[in-house]
Amino acid sequence: MNKIVGLILLVVGAILLYFSYEASQSLASEASQMVTNEPTDNTMWYLTGGVVAVIIGLYAVFKGK
């Protein structure tokens, strides 16, 4: 059961990482980076959520029963 949850988290994490990439390439993010030298909040939330989901998913897959 834990391996299934881990695989689901890996897929969700990959999707969130894809969304973070797409958000970082948007016009609003490009403008924000030019002015403040920081990405937008949406980009950071997608990136953080994706990394956390992938790490937890990998742990569940490799340590799950």
Side-chain angles (χ1 to χ4, degrees):
M1 183 70 175
N2 285 341
K3 289 188 179 196
I4 294 172
V5 173
L7 290 173
I8 291 170
L9 281 172
L10 281 173
V11 170
V12 168
I15 291 169
L16 287 173
L17 289 173
Y18 172 75
F19 283 152
S20 74
Y21 174 74
E22 289 294 319
S24 72
Q25 301 301 314
S26 71
L27 184 59
S29 182
E30 295 286 334
S32 174
Q33 278 189 305
M34 284 178 35
V35 174
T36 63
N37 202 23
E38 295 180 5
T40 59
D41 288 341
N42 283 345
T43 303
M44 291 306 296
W45 281 112
Y46 286 139
L47 183 62
T48 304
V51 168
V52 169
V54 166
I55 290 172
I56 293 171
L58 284 173
Y59 180 78
V61 166
F62 289 118
K63 297 292 181 180
K65 293 182 179 183

